Structures are given as structure tokens and as C-alpha cells.
Amino acid sequence: MENEKTKSTKKRATVRPMIITPLVFALIAIILALPVLLKGYSVLTDRVHQIQPVLTATIGDYQPDKTYFNECKKEGIAQTADGLKIGDKVGEIECNNAAVGCDIYYGINRVSKRDGAGLSVESKLFGGGGQIHIDGDSSGAFKALANVEAGDVFTVKTADSEYQYTVKKIMTAQEFTGKVKDEYLLITTEASHDVFAHQNKDKLMIVATLGAGEVQ
């Protein structure tokens, strides 16, 4: 009769192959599948790159960019709406009487307003006639906008030109009718300087018409 020690040794010998065999098969399966997985990853990566240009960009995809502005300035030519993308610099604005001065970027969003002010993509470009809407944060670039008075002059420098706009009216969003003839600059910011003022719909609105003339 076999003793207990012999029986235990045979039992371990039987169990060990039962454990090792599935591991071997699993390892072989992984090795065989690896080329297929790598090929699939490569195909998937190529497909993502193909569809990226047609995907809707989010605000995280934009950043302030002065390249196009500097190229046009160097050549002495105007930027065009077709050549602009969100985040491109389109000019510089200043009002010495109110200590306002910053860069202007294409698109009103937190990226543009983080580094200056934003020009609405629905606006005309400077010198193009109609409404030109610029918005900035009252806690940022337009912190001193509340000091602007009627008759003050805003100077806008683009890549190839310089424009002056005389402040005609200062009002709230509720008072603004939008009925202004010819080219005019609409400058807006939050009515409050509070850091969370952007959550409030109250707006300070300044209307300045093209030309450095007297206020009537």
C-alpha cells in the first residue's frame, strides 16, 4: 500500500500540468494575436488622422496665434476673413484717455479674452463697414473700460492700417438698439469687475464711430 507521502507527491505532479497547460496556451494566443493587434492599431490611428480635419473643434483646440498677423504686417498687406482662424491676432486696440490697451484675437471666447480681447467672427473686419464687435473681460484687458467717456478715441492698429473710432454712446445691453449708421465699433464687457461677472448678463456697451471727430 502506498504511504501518504507517495500519494501527495503524485497529486502534486498531476495538478502542476493542469495549471501550466492553460498558461502556455494563453501565452501562445497572445503571441499569435500581437501582429493583428498592432496592425489594427495602425489602421485605427490612420483613420483618426483622416477624420480629424472634419471634426468640430472645441475651445481646447485653439490658442492665441500671432503668426498670420506678423506675416501680413511684414508684407504690409491686410488680413482676410478667409485666411483667419479662431485665435489669430487681428489687431491692437488702445484708448490712452482710459488706459485701455491690448491685442485683439479672432473669436470671442475665453482663449482670446485670456490674452486680450476677442473680435466676433460675425463682425466685419476693420475698415470693412458695419458693426465691429469686440468683447473683453472686465477683470482682464477691459478692466479700465469703465473709465471711458464720450469723445474718447480708440485707436486700432491692424497688420496694414490704423483706424480711429470716437466714442459716441455708453450704455447697457438693454439700452442698445443696434441702429448705428456706417462703420462703428461696439466694445462690450461685464458691468461688474467681479471675477465671476461673466456669469451675469449685465453688460457695459460702448459705441464708437469711425473717425476722430467731435461728439454731437
Side-chain angles (χ1 to χ4, degrees), residues 14 43 48 65 71 109 162-163:
T14 303
V43 172
V48 169
D65 190 347
E71 289 175 352
N109 52 63
E162 181 175 302
Y163 302 90

Side-chain angles (χ1 to χ4, degrees), residues 137-178:
D137 287 338
S138 62
S139 59
F142 282 173
K143 188 173 184 178
L145 201 64
N147 299 326
V148 172
E149 299 178 351
D152 286 348
V153 175
F154 280 89
T155 300
V156 175
K157 297 178 181 179
T158 63
D160 70 320
S161 300
E162 181 175 302
Y163 302 90
Q164 291 185 314
Y165 300 88
T166 302
V167 176
K168 300 295 183 181
K169 295 181 180 179
I170 301 171
M171 65 195 81
T172 64
Q174 291 78 11
E175 297 170 327
F176 179 65
T177 62

Side-chain angles (χ1 to χ4, degrees), residues 21-77:
T21 300
L23 293 177
V24 171
F25 279 115
L27 183 60
I28 293 173
I30 292 172
I31 294 173
L32 292 176
L34 189 59
V36 177
L37 293 173
L38 291 176
K39 179 63 177 178
Y41 177 78
S42 177
V43 172
L44 181 60
T45 301
D46 292 341
R47 182 56 180 163
V48 169
H49 289 164
Q50 289 173 4
I51 65 175
Q52 273 182 332
V54 299
L55 292 175
T56 302
T58 64
I59 191 63
D61 297 318
Y62 301 122
Q63 60 182 354
D65 190 347
K66 301 180 181 180
T67 305
Y68 182 36
F69 179 86
N70 290 337
E71 289 175 352
C72 290
K73 186 175 183 179
K74 183 178 180 181
E75 298 295 328
I77 59 176

